[in-house]
């Protein structure tokens, strides 16, 4: 991922705060025997520090790839919008369109969790995140309605070893330019426009 200096996260808190409010992305691993990379869309739970946990079904094609090479990448993108050429120039025929987006890529070392209690712990944490009001049964290795289902999954603990974060919102352009695009996003109001505008205005405010 290309990251220009003006697109980089201001600090570690910026990307962490953004990622804490996201819990779905793609997990990518190297292919096996020269094959293409394995990419799995999945929910995950980031602890805000250095660990990501998740679980996948036992038949998932990711497992052989992880056993061959535990290096993986968790990638998340959001708050994206297409910015038309006319918005970025006073003369539309000379404008260059672009995409606005935020993206965080976590390079990790994966550890597969096989034991039932370890898998139950991951499930408890994920359910507490997604269903904080409860409403689900007990999650335990030896009790509750899910105990027999634990054999159908494997857990994953991912140790974060490197982070690449990008917030691409024309931060290198003058404030008046960015305000004009923010107005355009508000008026167009397509899916994603509100999120992109919020990130652009946040970055603009923090830079002042």
């Amino acid at each position: 991922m290309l990251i220009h200096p003006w697109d980089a996260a201001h600090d570690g808190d910026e990307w962490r705060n953004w990622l804490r409010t996201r819990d779905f992305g793609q997990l990518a691993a190297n292919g096996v025997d020269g094959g293409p990379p394995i990419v799995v869309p999945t929910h995950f739970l980031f602890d805000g520090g250095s660990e990501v946990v998740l679980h996948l079904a036992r038949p998932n094609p990711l497992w052989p790839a992880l056993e061959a090479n535990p290096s993986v990448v968790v990638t998340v993108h959001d708050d994206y919008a297409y910015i038309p050429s006319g918005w970025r120039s006073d003369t539309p025929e000379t404008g260059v369109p672009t995409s606005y987006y935020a993206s965080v890529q976590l390079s990790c070392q994966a550890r597969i969790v096989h034991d039932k209690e370890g898998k139950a712990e991951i499930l408890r944490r994920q359910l507490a995140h997604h269903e904080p009001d409860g409403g689900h049964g007990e999650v335990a290795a030896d009790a509750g309605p899910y105990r027999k289902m634990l054999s159908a999954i494997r857990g994953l603990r991912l140790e974060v070893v490197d982070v690449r974060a990008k917030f691409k919102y024309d931060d290198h352009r003058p404030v008046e330019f960015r305000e004009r695009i923010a107005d355009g996003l508000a008026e167009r109001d397509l899916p994603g426009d509100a999120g992109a505008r919020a990130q652009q205005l946040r970055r603009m405010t923090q830079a002042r």
Side-chain angles (χ1 to χ4, degrees):
M1 177 168 65
L2 172 64
I3 305 176
H4 291 296
W6 52 84
D7 296 332
H10 293 149
D11 52 37
D13 286 340
E14 182 178 19
W15 70 260
R16 286 189 179 90
N17 290 335
W18 184 86
L19 191 58
R20 283 192 188 99
T21 62
R22 273 84 186 167
D23 54 28
F24 193 87
Q26 294 183 316
L27 176 61
N30 289 304
V32 179
D33 297 329
I38 307 295
V39 182
V40 179
T42 181
H43 276 102
F44 65 89
L45 183 61
F46 172 58
D47 70 355
S50 60
E51 186 179 59
V52 174
V53 297
L54 59 109
H55 72 279
L56 298 170
R58 190 172 280 273
N60 197 290
L62 186 75
W63 303 119
L66 292 185
E67 290 165 354
N69 185 343
S71 296
V72 300
V73 174
V74 177
T75 178
V76 184
H77 69 272
D78 201 356
D79 299 325
Y80 56 87
Y82 177 80
I83 309 302
S85 55
W87 291 14
R88 302 181 80 238
S89 175
D90 293 331
T91 53
E93 64 273 12
T94 64
V96 178
T98 193
S99 299
Y100 281 1
Y101 62 87
S103 180
V104 173
Q105 297 179 351
L106 306 176
S107 296
C108 306
Q109 287 294 303
R111 179 169 67 84
I112 301 174
V113 178
H114 298 277
D115 66 287
K116 285 188 175 182
E117 180 50 42
K119 291 186 286 187
E121 180 190 356
I122 290 173
L123 288 177
R124 285 193 294 268
R125 289 175 60 183
Q126 287 191 279
L127 283 169
H129 168 74
H130 289 289
E131 302 183 41
D133 296 329
H136 54 79
E138 179 186 5
V139 182
D142 55 0
Y146 308 117
R147 67 185 188 281
K148 293 182 179 180
M149 303 178 192
L150 291 174
S151 60
I153 66 170
R154 288 176 175 173
L156 270 178
R157 290 185 175 275
L158 308 179
E159 178 190 0
V160 179
V161 296
D162 188 40
V163 180
R164 294 181 61 77
K166 181 174 182 176
F167 294 86
K168 184 173 181 283
Y169 297 102
D170 268 334
D171 284 18
H172 60 308
R173 297 292 191 122
V175 170
E176 294 78 10
F177 175 96
R178 287 178 281 167
E179 288 176 339
R180 185 176 70 206
I181 291 184
D183 291 342
L185 289 168
E187 182 178 355
R188 186 175 67 178
D189 197 27
L190 291 175
D193 284 354
R197 182 174 185 270
Q199 294 299 328
Q200 182 193 35
L201 294 176
R202 178 188 61 78
R203 296 265 296 182
M204 196 184 313
T205 300
Q206 290 178 346
R208 289 176 178 174

